[in-house]
Amino acid sequence: PANDLTQLLLPRFDEEAKKQAAEQGRLLGKGLNASPGAASGRAIFEVETSTGPGFILVRPETSADDMPGILRAAAVLTSRGGITSHAAVVTRGLGKPAVVGCTELKVDAHSRRMSVDGTTVNEGDEISIDGFTGEVFAGHIATVDPDVSSNAELRTLLGWADELRRGEAPLPTTDA
């Protein structure tokens, strides 16, 4: 489907760097992979403190009041919510990575921190989220941009689309 094509065009974590993070015990938890993509950034817990680029908005759940922060965020992480939650629907529409329903995380937005199994992440600490798998890590993980040239099927599909755009190929027909 079209969503699968979009996923091929989004940044993802460098597999070796992600493997190392897991081996170092930096995996904090796993939620629902609500919106594809991968991002690292400073954990920000309150919308009003969400200034500057490169932050991940962390909330128990999001609402319409969080929209200014969601729009500025590189990604969104929530401890509650499902695949049709506000955070999931909005971030998919914006093309931003999101992990929702990561129930292991205890998010305290007022104290501006979250904790899981004795590990505390304070506001400003760096975290990484994988919107493809739902994994959440402490610290930075390098991302890699998609390499369209290495995907033969995608190159073929884009070639067909380009031919249709230029009028070089007939439109497909269906015979009943």
Side-chain angles (χ1 to χ4, degrees):
N3 288 344
D4 293 340
L5 178 61
T6 302
Q7 291 184 22
L8 294 174
L9 304 174
L10 296 170
R12 57 185 62 247
F13 286 132
D14 174 89
E15 285 302 318
E16 187 58 34
K18 183 177 168 181
K19 180 181 173 188
Q20 287 176 354
E23 289 170 353
Q24 294 166 352
R26 293 175 29 211
L27 178 64
L28 296 175
K30 186 170 182 177
L32 299 172
N33 51 334
S35 184
S40 293
R42 297 171 291 111
I44 298 294
F45 295 88
E46 292 288 342
V47 172
E48 60 270 5
T49 61
S50 60
T51 60
F55 69 89
I56 296 176
L57 184 62
V58 181
R59 303 285 295 146
E61 59 190 341
T62 64
S63 70
D65 293 340
D66 295 313
M67 281 305 297
I70 293 170
L71 290 170
R72 292 190 306 267
V76 175
L77 169 63
T78 68
S79 59
R80 294 192 299 253
I83 208 70
T84 60
S85 66
H86 180 267
V89 172
V90 169
T91 54
R92 274 195 305 272
L94 294 171
K96 294 183 183 226
V99 173
V100 301
C102 191
T103 57
E104 302 102 309
L105 300 178
K106 304 304 175 225
V107 177
D108 185 347
H110 298 295
S111 297
R112 298 182 181 178
R113 66 176 169 239
M114 69 179 179
S115 61
V116 58
D117 292 334
T119 300
T120 299
V121 174
N122 294 300
E123 185 158 273
D125 292 349
E126 194 150 22
I127 60 172
S128 299
I129 70 163
D130 190 333
F132 292 106
T133 64
E135 294 168 309
V136 179
F137 294 87
H140 176 83
I141 299 177
T143 57
V144 293
D145 289 328
D147 181 12
V148 174
S149 65
S150 69
N151 188 315
E153 292 87 4
L154 179 59
R155 281 196 328 268
T156 299
L157 178 63
L158 293 176
W160 292 339
D162 203 34
E163 288 174 9
L164 286 170
R165 178 186 58 85
R166 291 189 310 250
E168 296 174 5
L171 291 174
T173 61
T174 58
D175 296 340

